[in-house]
Amino acid sequence: MHDTVTARDLKRPVEQPTTARIHDLLGGGRASFAIDRRWTATHFRAHPTLRQMAWRSRHYAATVVQRAAEAGITQFLDLGAGFRRSTPLDDIARHATPQARVVAVDHDVHVTLTWENDFISGRLPDAGLHYLRSDLREVDDLLHTIQTHGWLNPAEPVCILCIDVLHHHDAGTVATTLADYHHHMPAGSWLALTHLTTDKATGEHRTAITDLAAAYTQLGEHTEARTLPWLDAALSPWTIRERHALTALPPGPDRHREPPPDPHAGAVSWCVLAEKTQQHTLTQRTSDGASPDHADRLAGLPAADQQLSAPLRPRTHSHTADPLGPWTLQHPGAIRLRLWPLSTRTPTSPDGLAAQSWGATAQERSS
């Protein structure tokens, strides 16, 4: 996962463009080579509005970092971080919260060597910022390395950033990876992503996005534009807080301004912010759907439970759900049990199924 590389790798002939250098070029960076600039000019010439995709995605990431810090999150994991540009995300995080800790992850050799050289030369802060050459899909190994070095506290929420990176992986890998990060993160963690899409795109704009994805794939980076319903399904373990389309902007002399979106351009990518919320499971004895005999049996249970400090009382589904008003109810369902006479342990009838308890999973509602 962490190959040994040296500065000699930077001097090797550059035979083809890379997505990391192309994204850096589109975002105003200076890490690209002539071959990257030629590729970019070729594939973006006909659709100059798409050139701003990388910058606008990082602008969204910067906004999320600021909001996360204001919400009390001090740990940030930037997956597919790329080259460090002007106004980097770690600077934004530390400006918002001085105790911020940031781990930047990328699998590109040139990217991580550039980070290493910046550290050695003193151009990066001594504390609170770490880099790691790793594949974001190797979740267990990646997080184990971070925890071993003590870069992030696994008990505290983390803001994960996946900016313009997930569309470079196949669908099955993306869904599995997002579920793995959800499993390892503590409650209160955030996940922010941008993903290339053709939703709302028509005509030449749709063709441009499809051609761009194909061109990236030819570089060896499988790239696929996906729909919002697909993203919602891939994020199913997470609680989605917000989603909105990132639209292409008309070309202009100042790429840092926010002119009105081109109404004919449609969506370039989806921006999605999700959270891992705390979940609780409960069951409640009920007489819903019970046969008369079963209802009588349940009605007799409270009297038999008087020795308990809190006697059991059957309640209906609506009564169970009503006190959960402050919670978001998920996966409600009846726990159906077959009736067995205590003496014979055999079913009372072939269809002797009745609801004996209601089960539900509830999660804390976001404010």
Side-chain angles (χ1 to χ4, degrees):
M1 180 178 69
H2 313 291
D3 299 332
T4 301
V5 293
T6 66
R8 185 179 303 174
D9 290 293
L10 290 175
K11 300 180 181 179
R12 292 177 179 174
V14 179
E15 299 178 353
Q16 71 172 24
T18 67
T19 56
R21 295 196 302 267
I22 292 169
H23 286 181
D24 181 72
L25 174 63
L26 294 174
R30 299 181 179 181
S32 61
F33 296 119
I35 193 170
D36 305 302
R37 295 188 285 273
R38 288 195 297 270
W39 187 95
T40 302
T42 298
H43 294 283
F44 287 91
R45 182 184 297 113
H47 305 281
T49 58
L50 296 182
R51 292 181 64 95
Q52 297 194 17
M53 178 178 64
W55 177 82
R56 296 201 72 207
S57 294
R58 297 306 287 186
H59 176 75
Y60 170 73
T63 302
V64 170
V65 168
Q66 178 71 35
R67 292 172 55 188
E70 293 173 354
I73 297 178
T74 60
Q75 303 188 121
F76 301 87
L77 179 59
D78 192 0
L79 301 176
F83 294 95
R84 196 167 184 264
R85 304 166 187 161
S86 59
T87 318
L89 295 180
D90 55 279
D91 278 359
I92 296 173
R94 281 193 302 275
H95 179 75
T97 173
Q99 66 270 32
R101 289 182 285 180
V102 181
V103 177
V105 178
D106 206 292
H107 70 91
D108 188 284
V109 175
H110 191 206
V111 170
T112 51
L113 279 176
T114 301
W115 279 77
E116 182 174 349
N117 289 340
D118 287 345
F119 268 107
I120 294 174
S121 63
R123 290 191 292 269
L124 296 181
D126 295 331
L129 174 61
H130 306 276
Y131 71 93
L132 175 64
R133 186 181 180 223
S134 179
D135 190 324
L136 64 87
R137 297 169 295 182
E138 299 178 359
V139 181
D140 290 340
D141 289 342
L142 188 156
L143 295 180
H144 176 73
T145 300
I146 292 175
Q147 185 173 353
T148 299
H149 289 284
W151 293 340
L152 299 178
N153 185 345
E156 296 180 0
V158 178
C159 178
I160 303 175
L161 301 167
C162 297
I163 305 302
D164 287 349
V165 63
L166 295 180
H167 48 239
H168 293 307
H169 298 281
D170 64 87
T173 297
V174 172
T176 301
T177 300
L178 292 179
D180 287 345
Y181 280 108
H182 180 273
H183 173 73
H184 287 285
M185 292 296 109
S189 294
W190 287 15
L191 169 68
L193 64 85
T194 60
H195 197 294
L196 193 67
T197 186
T198 53
D199 285 353
K200 302 181 180 180
T202 59
E204 293 183 0
H205 182 64
R206 185 181 186 90
T207 301
I209 295 175
T210 303
D211 291 346
L212 181 62
Y216 275 125
T217 300
Q218 289 179 353
L219 295 179
E221 294 276 3
H222 171 84
T223 304
E224 184 179 351
R226 300 185 175 104
T227 65
L228 183 59
W230 185 93
L231 283 173
D232 285 347
L235 286 164
S236 58
W238 297 81
T239 300
I240 297 178
R241 293 171 58 96
E242 64 183 36
R243 59 174 78 83
H244 68 268
L246 186 68
T247 55
L249 299 177
D254 183 3
R255 62 182 174 82
H256 293 290
R257 65 187 176 91
E258 288 284 349
D262 181 354
H264 303 291
V268 175
S269 62
W270 282 108
C271 301
V272 183
L273 178 62
E275 181 182 7
K276 180 174 180 178
T277 53
Q278 185 67 46
Q279 293 188 339
H280 305 270
T281 302
L282 62 87
T283 59
Q284 168 64 52
R285 192 182 301 278
T286 184
S287 58
D288 284 354
S291 65
D293 179 65
H294 184 205
D296 289 342
R297 291 172 181 263
L298 290 173
L301 286 176
D305 294 329
Q306 289 298 325
Q307 69 273 21
L308 299 177
S309 59
L312 301 175
R313 290 182 174 82
R315 293 184 171 92
T316 64
H317 171 248
S318 59
H319 188 283
T320 300
D322 184 65
L324 292 173
W327 300 79
T328 299
L329 190 62
Q330 293 186 329
H331 315 305
I335 302 174
R336 296 186 177 274
L337 303 177
R338 190 175 294 275
L339 302 180
W340 301 84
L342 295 179
S343 58
T344 61
R345 304 294 298 172
T346 57
T348 57
S349 64
D351 60 348
L353 292 174
Q356 183 163 322
S357 295
W358 276 105
T361 300
Q363 66 183 25
E364 297 177 2
R365 283 181 178 168
S366 301
S367 56

